[in-house]
Amino acid sequence: MELTTNKFITWLRYDAKYLHKDVIQGVKNLIRWFPTVWKDRDYDHSYIYEILRVKLENQAEYISKRDRHTTAQRDAEKMLLVARLITIQQEDMYDMEYMDYHESEYDFVDVTDEDGLPEKYKNSKRLEVNTISERFDEYFAMYPRQYKRVMSGEVNRFSRPIEEKDKQLIAMEIAHENQDRSRKLLFKLLENNITRWWD
């Protein structure tokens, strides 16, 4: 009983005088986080990224405004960089980028005997992709190092033989590699900096 009384007295002496401030800050947090929590779902990694992105943006704003240490502005910039990298992951920006460099037409056509599919697929349809135009050479020029790595076989996510004529496949490999690289950079920046991000 005495231990509980001592804890209560200690709480009154040191913590209770700040209780009103804690309640006000807690209500502000609930209001600020409400849109993020409202949209949160448990079935996809994108929502984990969203919570981390919002937290980093909030903390970057706080640290930048307070500017209490010599690296405060640089720390805020790094936090915002990580937040931008998170957005790139959420939107699959690099994964989809190569699609801006070609135009294709998609059509579902009947499966024929020449397709060599089992009997159960004979009355179904297959996707046929016809390339109307492509500018993959422009895309490759943007990422010469990744292009070399794909052509040398160093990058081959799908473990397929790749030839120079397989431009769309090469572009897909580059896109996936770039997406992976941005994710690794994101977590490398977090790993190297997160313990320093405090005020």
Side-chain angles (χ1 to χ4, degrees):
M1 182 69 177
E2 189 177 325
L3 184 63
T4 306
T5 307
N6 286 341
K7 279 184 170 180
F8 181 71
I9 292 170
T10 303
W11 178 79
L12 276 176
R13 186 175 294 152
Y14 298 107
D15 295 332
K17 62 183 175 182
Y18 299 111
L19 184 61
H20 67 288
K21 290 183 179 181
D22 289 342
V23 170
I24 291 168
Q25 184 61 53
V27 170
K28 285 180 180 178
N29 286 345
L30 288 172
I31 293 167
R32 182 173 60 171
W33 278 92
F34 181 78
T36 304
V37 173
W38 181 264
K39 292 183 275 186
D40 185 38
R41 300 295 181 268
D42 293 334
Y43 55 76
D44 190 83
H45 66 280
S46 182
Y47 298 101
I48 297 169
Y49 278 136
E50 183 64 11
I51 289 169
L52 184 57
R53 183 188 65 76
V54 171
K55 179 61 184 171
L56 285 167
E57 288 174 353
N58 290 343
Q59 191 168 357
E61 181 182 352
Y62 176 89
I63 286 176
S64 178
K65 274 185 185 175
R66 302 298 184 282
D67 200 16
R68 290 184 183 159
H69 57 277
T70 56
T71 62
Q73 297 306 318
R74 183 68 184 132
D75 288 346
E77 286 172 13
K78 286 180 184 177
M79 287 181 213
L80 292 175
L81 172 60
V82 173
R84 285 192 299 277
L85 288 168
I86 286 172
T87 301
I88 287 170
Q89 290 304 306
Q90 289 176 299
E91 296 175 357
D92 290 325
M93 190 194 97
Y94 286 117
D95 267 340
M96 306 305 282
E97 181 183 29
Y98 83 97
M99 295 179 85
D100 294 338
Y101 291 85
H102 77 101
E103 189 179 342
S104 295
E105 197 173 66
Y106 302 92
D107 194 18
F108 287 96
V109 296
D110 292 327
V111 171
T112 63
D113 289 336
E114 291 103 43
D115 291 322
L117 295 172
E119 190 64 35
K120 66 179 180 179
Y121 297 112
K122 293 299 181 196
N123 293 325
S124 59
K125 299 203 178 266
R126 66 179 169 78
L127 177 65
E128 193 172 271
V129 181
N130 298 311
T131 302
I132 297 168
S133 66
E134 57 91 356
R135 302 182 340 268
F136 286 128
D137 290 332
E138 289 177 37
Y139 180 68
F140 300 154
M142 289 169 45
Y143 304 108
R145 184 179 301 160
Q146 279 67 31
Y147 179 80
K148 283 181 188 173
R149 292 180 68 215
V150 170
M151 295 313 294
S152 71
E154 184 182 344
V155 172
N156 191 338
R157 173 182 307 274
F158 303 108
S159 302
R160 296 181 279 200
I162 297 176
E163 298 176 19
E164 276 192 55
K165 63 180 176 141
D166 300 326
K167 289 186 174 188
Q168 187 165 350
L169 182 59
I170 295 166
M172 287 171 64
E173 290 283 357
I174 292 171
H176 293 314
E177 177 67 9
N178 285 342
Q179 191 72 25
D180 280 351
R181 290 174 62 231
S182 75
R183 188 188 73 253
K184 287 174 185 170
L185 177 60
L186 184 167
F187 286 107
K188 189 74 170 171
L189 285 168
L190 275 176
E191 179 186 355
N192 291 340
N193 294 286
I194 197 164
T195 55
R196 291 186 230 145
W197 290 342
W198 61 281
D199 192 31

